[in-house]
Amino acid sequence: MSVNDRLVTQQKRYVKLTPTNNSSNEWSYAKGNNIIRFSIAEQDAYLLANQVELQFNFKVFTDTTFASSVKNADAFQIDEKTGVEGIIKTLTVSSRRYATSICEQIRDWNQLVSVAKPALSSKRDILTQHNHGNIAVGQGVYNVDEEAIDQGNLDSLRVNDAKLQRKFYQFEDGNGNVNQYLGWDCSINLYSGIFLQDKLDLRLFGGLEIEIELGSNVNFFENANNNVSYQISDVILNCPFLYKSEAELSSGVQPASLQFLTWNSLYNVAQSTDTTITNKVGIRSVLSMVQKFVPVSYINNSSEHAKAFAGWNPGVKRLTYHRNGQRYPLEYEIKTERGEGNPDVEVIKEKNPQVLINSLSAFQNYKDVKHSHITSQNLDNRQNAPYYLGVSFDQISGQGIDLSGGTVSTELVSTLQNPQNNTAVPFGVYTFFLNKNTLVIQPNQRIQAIE
C-alpha cells in the first residue's frame, strides 16, 4: 500500500451564514429589533466552534432615531476590554433537530467576557485584539511622555480623551462637511462553554440554533448621553466546517453521547458590608464559579465614570465559600486586610495572592496562565484593573460537583466602597457557573442531558 493510499482527506471550508430573521439585516436596541438568529444545518461535518466569528458593520449615532451621526467633538467611549462585544446581552445555543433542548444560555454574556478574556490575556493582547477586530482602543494613546505623570493625574488626563477611537466612527470630514457614513466592519469571537470545544459534531447535535440578544445603549457606551446609539448591519456568522472523511462516513459508527462545557448565570445584589450571596444552582457537574461586582448605579448608566464592564473591587476584606452551609472547597477564610495604615485602600488596589490563585483557577489551572490582566500588585488604576472572585470546585477529577440540590454561597465582608468616594453603595453581583454536560442522543427522540 502506498503512502497516498493511507492518507485520509478532510475538507475545511468557511461558510458565511446570514440571520434567519429580519430581512433588512439591520439591528439595534434603540429600534427594538435586537434579536438575531442563525441556523446551522445538520450535516456530516464538524463545527470548529472556537473559531466561530460574528461579523457586522457597526455604526454610532448621537440620537435614537439615527438621524445624527458622530462628529469630531462628540463625546463617547467604548470599554477597551470588551470592545463591541459589549453589545451582546444574551447568547443562547440550542439543537436544531431537538428544538426544545437549549444546550447553553448565558445571560449577561458581556459581563462574563469582560473578565474571562482579561483573566487569560495580557493588556497588550486585549488592546491589540480589539483594535484590530473592532477599533476599541481605550482612552487615548499610551506614550513615553506619560510615564512620569502621577497615576491620579494620568487618570484625569485620559478622561474624555477618546478622540482616536471617535475618528473611526465620526460622520464629518473635519471641516464640517457631511459625507456618506459607511460605519466600521467588526469581527468578534463568540465565547461560551460550548464554543470552547475544538469540534462539534453537527450530525450528533442535529444542527444548531444560535440566538443573540443585543443589550442596552446606555450600558454599552461610557462618557455619553442617553441618546448615543449603535446600529449593526450586514451581519453574518463566519463558521469553519471540517467535513468528515470517507473513512468516518463508511464506518457507520455514530457515537451515542458527547461531552461539552456550558456557562450558567445568576444575578444578586450585595447591600450590606457583611453579606452572604446564596444561590440555588440546580445543576450537576459544576466545575467552577466566577463572581463579578459592579455598583448598581453604574448598570445602564452611560455617564463619565459609570463603567459597567470594569471589574470593580468592592473592598473585599474577608471571604469564605460554602456548600450547603459548610465551608467548601476551601476549609479556611481568606483575609485580605494588610497592615494598620489604610486597609480599605490596600485591598481595593491589590489582588490578594490567595484570591488571585483561586480566581485564575476558575478558568484553568493557574500554573498554566502565562498572560493575564490580574496581578497581585496592580500597576493600573482601579477601573482598568479587572477584579473578580473565582473558585474551582474540582481540580482533580475534572468531573465537577453535584449542585442539583442545596445551595452554594459566598460569605463576604467588604467595604462596598463607592469608586467615586468612600461611601458604601449596593453592588450588583454577576455569578457564573461553569459545568460539564453529557448529552445522550436517542434516535428520533429529543436530547437527554445528564449534567
Side-chain angles (χ1 to χ4, degrees):
M1 181 181 294
S2 67
V3 174
N4 290 334
D5 291 335
R6 295 198 299 268
L7 293 178
V8 176
T9 303
Q10 284 185 289
Q11 292 184 342
K12 179 181 179 180
R13 296 178 181 175
Y14 286 87
V15 178
K16 295 183 177 181
L17 304 177
T18 57
T20 58
N21 60 330
N22 189 358
S23 59
S24 69
N25 207 356
E26 291 185 345
W27 317 84
S28 68
Y29 180 86
K31 289 189 176 181
N33 53 335
N34 64 325
I35 303 295
I36 308 173
R37 296 187 179 94
F38 295 96
S39 183
I40 302 177
E42 178 181 348
Q43 54 193 292
D44 292 318
Y46 300 103
L47 174 67
L48 304 183
N50 55 8
Q51 300 178 34
V52 172
E53 295 276 332
L54 181 70
Q55 299 173 341
F56 50 87
N57 184 272
F58 181 77
K59 299 182 178 72
V60 180
F61 299 88
T62 55
D63 64 348
T64 56
T65 61
F66 302 157
S68 302
S69 299
V70 175
K71 296 179 176 59
N72 192 52
D74 293 329
F76 72 87
Q77 184 66 25
I78 298 172
D79 187 272
E80 60 184 14
K81 293 180 295 300
T82 58
V84 296
E85 292 174 336
I87 66 175
I88 300 180
K89 172 70 173 177
T90 304
L91 175 65
T92 304
V93 182
S94 56
S95 168
R96 185 180 181 188
R97 182 200 298 170
Y98 312 98
T100 59
S101 299
I102 292 179
C103 299
E104 181 175 28
Q105 184 174 64
I106 309 175
R107 294 183 175 88
D108 300 305
W109 180 87
N110 42 20
Q111 295 290 353
L112 173 62
V113 170
S114 69
V115 293
K117 292 188 176 181
L120 303 177
S121 305
S122 70
K123 189 160 189 174
R124 180 173 293 179
D125 291 340
I126 290 291
L127 293 181
T128 300
Q129 175 189 345
H130 286 314
N131 188 47
H132 292 170
N134 48 70
I135 313 302
V137 296
Q139 295 182 328
V141 183
Y142 297 94
N143 59 67
V144 294
D145 296 333
E146 297 176 346
E147 290 182 354
I149 300 176
D150 177 78
Q151 180 66 61
N153 293 334
L154 181 58
D155 183 44
S156 300
L157 179 66
R158 291 175 182 162
V159 170
N160 298 333
D161 185 16
K163 293 182 180 179
L164 183 59
Q165 187 180 69
R166 284 202 304 273
K167 287 182 184 297
F168 289 99
Y169 300 124
Q170 72 184 48
F171 190 98
E172 61 181 3
D173 61 3
N175 298 318
N177 300 318
V178 176
N179 301 320
Q180 182 181 9
Y181 187 49
L182 301 178
W184 195 261
D185 292 332
C186 298
S187 180
I188 61 177
N189 177 257
L190 290 181
Y191 176 89
S192 74
I194 196 170
F195 283 169
L196 290 175
Q197 313 299 115
D198 291 332
K199 298 191 300 183
L200 288 180
D201 191 331
L202 292 174
R203 180 66 68 188
L204 193 60
F205 263 93
L208 291 177
E209 295 285 341
I210 299 173
E211 181 178 287
I212 297 170
E213 178 189 356
L214 302 180
S216 167
N217 300 311
V218 294
N219 205 48
F220 173 65
F221 291 107
E222 304 167 2
N223 188 33
N225 61 54
N226 292 340
N227 292 325
V228 176
S229 307
Y230 68 85
Q231 175 182 276
I232 65 174
S233 59
D234 304 324
V235 181
I236 62 170
L237 193 69
N238 198 335
C239 301
F241 292 151
L242 183 66
Y243 289 88
K244 294 181 179 180
S245 65
E246 291 185 5
E248 288 179 286
L249 295 175
S250 61
S251 67
V253 177
Q254 180 73 11
S257 66
L258 76 160
Q259 292 183 333
F260 62 92
L261 303 176
T262 57
W263 284 101
N264 292 272
S265 54
L266 295 168
Y267 178 77
N268 306 87
V269 177
Q271 303 189 68
S272 171
T273 55
D274 188 348
T275 187
T276 300
I277 304 163
T278 302
N279 290 297
K280 295 186 69 175
V281 184
I283 52 179
R284 302 186 182 93
S285 302
V286 181
L287 298 171
S288 63
M289 176 177 70
V290 172
Q291 292 178 307
K292 183 190 174 185
F293 300 83
V294 179
V296 172
S297 61
Y298 284 14
I299 301 172
N300 291 326
N301 184 346
S302 59
S303 62
E304 179 180 317
H305 298 289
K307 297 181 177 293
F309 300 127
W312 297 102
N313 184 343
V316 176
K317 292 182 175 182
R318 294 192 296 278
L319 170 66
T320 313
Y321 296 107
H322 293 89
R323 177 189 181 190
N324 297 329
Q326 297 182 343
R327 289 184 178 182
Y328 185 88
L330 308 179
E331 297 292 336
Y332 54 86
E333 178 186 59
I334 297 176
K335 295 183 179 180
T336 66
E337 294 175 286
R338 293 179 55 194
E340 300 296 333
N342 192 347
D344 294 347
V345 173
E346 287 180 349
V347 296
I348 283 176
K349 291 187 177 294
E350 295 181 6
K351 185 85 167 181
N352 178 276
Q354 288 181 303
V355 176
L356 171 64
I357 288 175
N358 285 305
S359 298
L360 293 178
S361 297
F363 292 105
Q364 66 182 61
N365 190 317
Y366 72 92
K367 295 180 182 179
D368 297 329
V369 178
K370 307 303 181 185
H371 300 271
S372 178
H373 273 50
I374 322 297
T375 67
S376 58
Q377 186 67 42
N378 257 327
L379 301 179
D380 210 336
N381 52 44
R382 184 181 176 192
Q383 67 188 27
N384 291 327
Y387 184 92
Y388 69 96
L389 298 179
V391 66
S392 173
F393 293 123
D394 182 4
Q395 298 188 46
I396 305 300
S397 69
Q399 298 303 310
I401 63 171
D402 188 354
L403 292 179
S404 57
T407 61
V408 60
S409 58
T410 304
E411 184 179 346
L412 194 65
V413 177
S414 65
T415 61
L416 294 183
Q417 184 173 322
N418 188 327
Q420 300 306 312
N421 51 55
N422 293 324
T423 61
V425 296
F427 272 73
V429 185
Y430 296 93
T431 304
F432 302 94
F433 295 93
L434 180 64
N435 64 294
K436 188 174 184 179
N437 296 270
T438 301
L439 291 188
V440 178
I441 314 296
Q442 297 184 353
N444 301 321
Q445 297 184 35
R446 68 186 301 272
I447 290 177
Q448 290 187 346
I450 305 175
E451 297 181 349

